[in-house]
Amino acid sequence: MAKHAKLLIHGDRVEKGEIHPFLFGHFVEDIRDHMDAMLAFPLKNMDFEKEAEFAPGVSGEWMPITNGKNTKFALEPPAPRHSGHSQKIRIASDDRCYAGIAQRVSVRGGIRYEAKLFARATKEIESVRLAVVDRLTGKTLGEVEVSIESHDWREYKTELRVSAASADAELRLTISSEEKSWKDSISTGTLWLDHVSLLPEDHVGLVKRDVFDMAKRLNAGMMRLGGNYISAYHWRQGVGPAYERPNVMNEAWDHQADKYFGTIEFLEFCERLGVEPLICVNDGSGAPEEAAEWIRYCNADAEADPLGALRASHGRVEPFRAKYWEIGNEVWGPWQVGHCAAEEYAHRLVAFAKEMKAADPELVLLGCGHTDDAWNRTVLAIAGEHIDYLTMHIYQHYSTYGYPGRDAAERAPAEEKFRAIVSYPEVSRYAIRQAADAIRSSEKGRHVKLAITEYNTMYYPNTIRQGLPNEHTLEAAVANAANLNEMIRSCDIVEIGSFSDLVNGWLGGCIRVGDNYADQKKGRLPGWSGKGDLVYGTPTYYALELFANADIARVVGHELSCDTFDAPKHAWGVPTNGLPTLDVVCCVSRDGRKLTALVVNRSLEDVDAELRVNGFEAAPGAVVREIAGDRIDLVNDVFQPEAVVSRRFEVATEGSGALSLRLKAHSIYAVELPAKQ
C-alpha cells in the first residue's frame, strides 16, 4: 500500500542565493583506467614505455610474432627527444620468414583508422604490413602496407579501413624476408619502432565520440582537472609534441602516467563541451613559480610572453583565459605528496596565491579545505583574503555510518543500508553548515564561497561485483540526487560541484566504457562480453543529467507533509531520526516562467503525492521526468545499458498547478510547471 504526501510550493518566496551552473560540474583524473576508457586510442603502450612482460625483449602489452628460428627482439633507446624505448625486431639473413609484434585490440567496423608509426629500418626492409585480424576466425578485417623510406627515424601516417567490428582482434605489424636472400648478415632485416597508434576517424580531440556526446549531455558547467596524482604532476610533462613528452610514473596510483591528454588537450576538451575549466596545481612537489608558469602558458599572449609563445609553438596561438585554479588536492591527507598540517598549508597557499595572481590578476583561486572544522578555520585565518573559494571533498563509505568495520556492514540488512545511504544529505548539510559558519566568522574570509570539488555517494559492500562499493546502483543514484538537492538548498554558499569521476576511473565514473569494472587494483579483462567498446551511463549519470538540464536559477519555499524514517546513527553524531521520506527542493527559472520540484523518494515504498502551488500562475499540464526501477540494486551494464534511464511524460493538472502523482519507490523526479502565457 502506497504512502501519502502533500507538497505546497510557494512560487513567490524566493530564497537567497543563485544556483550556479558550476554546481553541476565534473572531474577528470589520470587514475586507473579513466584515460584508457575516455580516449579514442584502442592500443596501449603506444610508445613502448613498458619493460618486457610476455616475452623477452618485447615491450609490455605487445606479443612477438614469427615463423622463423632466429628472429630476435630487443628494447633499445628511443628516437632523439622521445620517451620510452624503441622496439627492435631483427630477422636473421637465412630465415626467409616473417616477424613482428601484435597487440590485442577491440575495433569498430566500417570506419577508417589513422595509423601512425615512428620507425626506421635497415635498407633491406622496404615496408611494414599492418593488419587487423579477428582472433577467433582468423579473418583479416583490414590491412595496409607502409613503405619505410629511411634508415633514420621518420613518422609515417596511413589509413587503415576496418571492414567489421571485433571485440577480440589483434593489430599485427610484420616485416618479411620470405622469398629473399640477404647477403648481409650483420644488420640485415632490422626494424625499429618508436611509436604505433590507431585513432578512429570520428574521435573528438582524441576523446571517443560516444564519450564526448554523453559528456556533452551532462551540461557540466565546469570540468575539473585534479585528484591525487596532481600533487606530483609537473605541467611540462604534458605539453609539446606527444612523442617528446616524458615517460613518467603516476605516483599516486602506481601506473604509467598518460601523456596524451595534457594541458592543451584538456582545455580544448572543455572548449568543445562549452564548459569552464578548473585546474588544480601541484603544491606537493611543485613550487609557486611552476604554477605561475603554467598559468602563463595557458593564458599569456603569444607575442608578449615566452610561455605564450611556447604554447603557440605547440599548436595553440589563442590564449585559453583559464580563470579558475585550485591550489592543492586533499593536502590534509597522508596519502598526498606534500601532506602537511593546516598552518603549514595556509602559508604555502599564500605564497602560491601571490605568485599566481602576479601571473594573471584575473584568476579565481580555490584553497584546499576539509570537512574538519579546525583545518578550515586555520586556513581562513591565515590565507582567507587570498582565495575566492574553500574546497571540500565529500565521499561516503561503510564506516561513515558507524559500522565498526566491513564485516559488520556486510551483515547489515539491505533495507538498513538503503536508509543509511539515502540519509547522506544530512551529513552533507552538517559539513556545509560547519564550513559556512567558519567562513562567516572569519575576518579575512567572509567573502569566500564553498566548492565541493569531489563528491560521490557509495557504501560497502557490493555483492554484485566482488565486494566493490554500490557506486553504479539505482540506490546510489537516489543518494546522489538527494545530495545534489542539499547542494542546491545551500546555493548561497556552495557554487561549485565536481562529481567524481567522469569516465570509469576510480569507483564511481558516471560514464562507463566497456565491461572493465575498475576497482582500486584490478577488474575484469576488457572483451569478455564482446562489448568492449560500448559506452553507457550509470543510473547516477541520468540523475546528474536531469539536474544539470533542469531550468532552475533560484530556490523557492515549500511546505512538505510526508512520512518519516530512521537511519543508522552517523559516526559524527549527525541526527538521523525522523527524516522525511521525500527529499524535496523547489526552484524557479531565471525568467520566472517555470517552477520545478526536484523530488527524491527515499522510501522503499511508492508514495502518492499531491502537489499544489501558491504565488505562481501555472499553465495547464506538467512535464515530469522520472528515474526509477523495480530494485534498489538495479544497474546498467553492457548487457542492459538502459535498465535505468530518465523517462519523460506529461501529467494533467487541476487549477493552478495542482496535480496528483505516484512516486515510485526509491526514485527521482523533476516536476516542471510552466507559467500561464
Side-chain angles (χ1 to χ4, degrees), residues 58-81:
V58 180
S59 186
E61 308 285 353
W62 295 93
M63 300 170 287
I65 299 173
T66 185
N67 67 340
K69 297 179 180 179
N70 298 309
T71 301
K72 294 183 179 179
F73 300 89
L75 294 177
E76 295 195 349
R81 299 188 304 277

Side-chain angles (χ1 to χ4, degrees), residues 213-248:
D213 290 344
M214 291 199 73
K216 184 75 172 177
R217 286 168 52 190
L218 285 168
N219 194 26
M222 175 174 275
M223 188 68 65
R224 176 180 185 250
L225 182 71
N228 290 354
Y229 89 104
I230 211 75
S231 295
Y233 178 77
H234 300 283
W235 67 270
R236 288 181 184 270
Q237 297 170 0
V239 300
Y243 296 146
E244 298 179 14
R245 296 178 187 179
N247 171 31
V248 297

Side-chain angles (χ1 to χ4, degrees), residues 235-236 239-241 244 264 293-294 296-298 300-317:
W235 67 270
R236 288 181 184 270
V239 300
E244 298 179 14
I264 288 178
E293 288 178 350
W294 197 2
R296 289 168 52 205
Y297 178 86
C298 294
D301 187 271
E303 295 183 359
D305 189 297
L307 286 167
L310 179 64
R311 181 195 66 246
S313 73
H314 296 158
R316 172 70 185 213
V317 176

Side-chain angles (χ1 to χ4, degrees), residues 643-655:
V644 180
V645 296
S646 177
R647 185 173 71 94
R648 180 189 184 277
F649 58 92
E650 296 182 2
V651 175
T653 58
E654 299 176 5

Side-chain angles (χ1 to χ4, degrees), residues 273-401:
L273 288 175
V275 303
E276 188 75 25
L278 167 60
I279 298 177
C280 189
V281 302
N282 174 4
D283 82 318
S285 61
E289 295 77 14
E290 181 182 17
E293 288 178 350
W294 197 2
I295 292 161
R296 289 168 52 205
Y297 178 86
C298 294
N299 295 349
D301 187 271
E303 295 183 359
D305 189 297
L307 286 167
L310 179 64
R311 181 195 66 246
S313 73
H314 296 158
R316 172 70 185 213
V317 176
E318 290 299 314
F320 285 105
R321 309 296 184 201
K323 187 176 181 180
Y324 291 82
W325 295 76
E326 183 177 351
I327 302 170
N329 179 84
E330 296 181 2
V331 185
W332 35 264
W335 53 85
Q336 211 69 223
V337 173
H339 160 64
C340 63
E343 185 172 353
E344 181 181 344
Y345 169 72
H347 289 295
R348 189 190 300 172
L349 174 59
V350 172
F352 269 79
K354 288 181 176 179
E355 197 75 27
M356 292 165 72
K357 281 275 191 166
D360 187 342
E362 301 301 316
L363 297 187
V364 175
L365 297 182
L366 290 72
C368 179
H370 195 6
T371 52
D372 177 70
D373 189 51
W375 173 282
N376 290 341
R377 290 181 184 275
T378 300
V379 170
L380 289 166
I382 296 171
E385 64 190 299
H386 296 279
I387 60 174
D388 302 283
Y389 290 88
L390 189 70
T391 69
M392 181 182 293
H393 291 179
I394 298 179
Y395 289 103
Q396 178 198 15
H397 51 82
Y398 67 94
S399 63
T400 307
Y401 283 94

